[in-house]
Amino acid sequence: MSETGLSARLPLSLIVCTYRRPAAVKRLLEALRLQTAPPQEVLIVDASSEAGTEETVQEAAATVPRFRLAYFRVPPEHRGLTRQRNFGVARAAGELIAFLDDDTVPESNYFQEIQGCFERHPEAAGVGGYIRGVTWRPADRTAEPGVGVFRWANWERREDYRWRLRKMLGLASPAPPGWMPPCGHGRSVDFLPPDGRDYQVEFFIGAASSWRRVVFEREVFSSYFEGYGLYEDLDFCIQVSRQKPLYVCTSAQVDHHHDPAARPNSFRYGIMVVRNGWYVWRRRWPEASLFDRARWWAVTALVAICRLVDARGSDLAEGPQEAFGRLWSMVELLWKDPRIARKAWDERSCS
């Protein structure tokens, strides 16, 4: 593509929210310099109290820039993923506003592909990138996929044991990837194959997401999701998709390294998965039937049990700790409805 073609595209601002990950930020900035169509500006929104990330950004800014690089250390009232995102949006200049997690590494054509997807779909409010990491193979059309195989279009991948159990117990939703079914437990967009196509979805992953600026004239990231966030991207996507379509661009690919620094402990993570997941599900499906509510509880309990016996890596306690967090949160939901917190947030937002 010519330089003229690239310069004619909509100006894009990239916001990177971070917390105590200077090494990850350095790696991301190095990847951004290799972009075939780099963003016009990169805003680093840092919740750290230490100087490591700021020093990393200053070193990067001292080299020959390909984009404007700005660093913001946010005060306590703006810390937490959703607040940091809103902080960055208020200071971004682009017509397109993109987000990448600090522990991601985009392919060199990532932003060129994102811009191309917006051009192909002028009606789109947002475009999500594609997180790599799953092995796909061409579908064997001579045989029906068994319980251990997930097939989509002309591709298939291995099912993990949790989805196998859902299938065997009749708890797997037929909803396409990227759409939340009435029972709440659907397939994420990494169940779409990396075939270079654009797929319309209801949600995508916030770690690699891009939006038209006009979206933020009527929507903000909810401060209900405190600190680490978790599912705040799902909630935001669903609210926006009720107005305008969203797409996943499978040719805009990113590696997500899942840096362990600054993540909540396994018990706290388990609580957040269940509680935040319930909140987003009921926001999307407030009139869910008794049957779908029963399916939500059944799948939530099944996954908690799976994590109880799941031992991964060198930390054998991680799975059980997360399971206890999930189970605790399930019990808590019986007497402490997150909609109470939601109502309080709604009242604050309207004041």
Side-chain angles (χ1 to χ4, degrees), residues 16-73:
V16 179
C17 301
T18 188
Y19 178 62
R20 294 182 174 177
R21 290 179 179 172
V25 170
K26 180 179 181 180
R27 181 178 58 201
L28 174 57
L29 290 174
E30 290 172 351
L32 293 177
R33 293 190 185 281
L34 302 177
Q35 290 293 303
T36 56
Q40 277 66 39
E41 63 175 2
V42 177
L43 285 67
I44 308 296
V45 184
D46 185 17
S48 311
S49 57
E50 302 85 355
T53 301
E54 182 176 12
E55 293 171 355
T56 295
V57 175
Q58 289 174 345
E59 291 174 3
T63 63
V64 179
R66 296 194 67 203
F67 43 77
R68 186 177 77 86
L69 181 58
Y71 173 84
F72 301 92
R73 180 179 293 166

Side-chain angles (χ1 to χ4, degrees), residues 131-186:
I131 307 296
R132 300 191 299 191
V134 175
T135 301
W136 288 81
R137 59 181 180 269
D140 180 6
R141 290 295 180 180
T142 64
E144 289 296 318
V147 70
V149 174
F150 173 75
R151 180 177 293 175
W152 191 258
N154 295 317
W155 296 83
E156 59 187 30
R157 53 170 282 184
R158 179 180 176 273
E159 291 274 42
D160 69 19
Y161 75 97
R162 299 185 209 176
W163 275 101
R164 296 185 190 191
L165 287 173
R166 292 192 208 186
K167 286 180 176 179
M168 290 186 289
L169 296 172
L171 296 173
S173 169
W179 295 85
M180 180 180 285
C183 66
H185 293 282

Side-chain angles (χ1 to χ4, degrees), residues 248-326:
V248 165
C249 178
T250 64
S251 57
Q253 300 190 358
V254 174
D255 290 322
H256 196 179
H257 292 272
H258 297 284
D259 194 318
R263 292 184 181 273
N265 63 48
S266 297
F267 180 77
R268 178 61 183 161
Y269 180 85
I271 292 176
M272 294 170 65
V273 166
V274 173
R275 188 171 180 80
N276 291 2
W278 189 97
Y279 172 80
V280 177
W281 164 56
R282 293 314 306 274
R283 284 251 283 172
R284 173 62 181 87
W285 295 102
E287 306 299 330
S289 68
L290 290 177
F291 176 71
D292 285 319
R293 296 183 194 189
R295 292 178 69 191
W296 186 89
W297 283 97
V299 173
T300 302
L302 175 65
V303 176
I305 293 170
C306 289
R307 290 298 284 144
L308 188 63
V309 298
D310 200 8
R312 297 182 179 182
S314 59
D315 189 353
L316 299 181
E318 181 179 328
Q321 287 175 356
E322 182 184 318
F324 287 129
R326 288 174 181 262

Side-chain angles (χ1 to χ4, degrees), residues 74 89 102 117 187 191 245 254 292 302 323:
V74 295
V89 168
D102 54 9
C117 189
R187 293 183 183 269
F191 282 91
V254 174
D292 285 319
L302 175 65

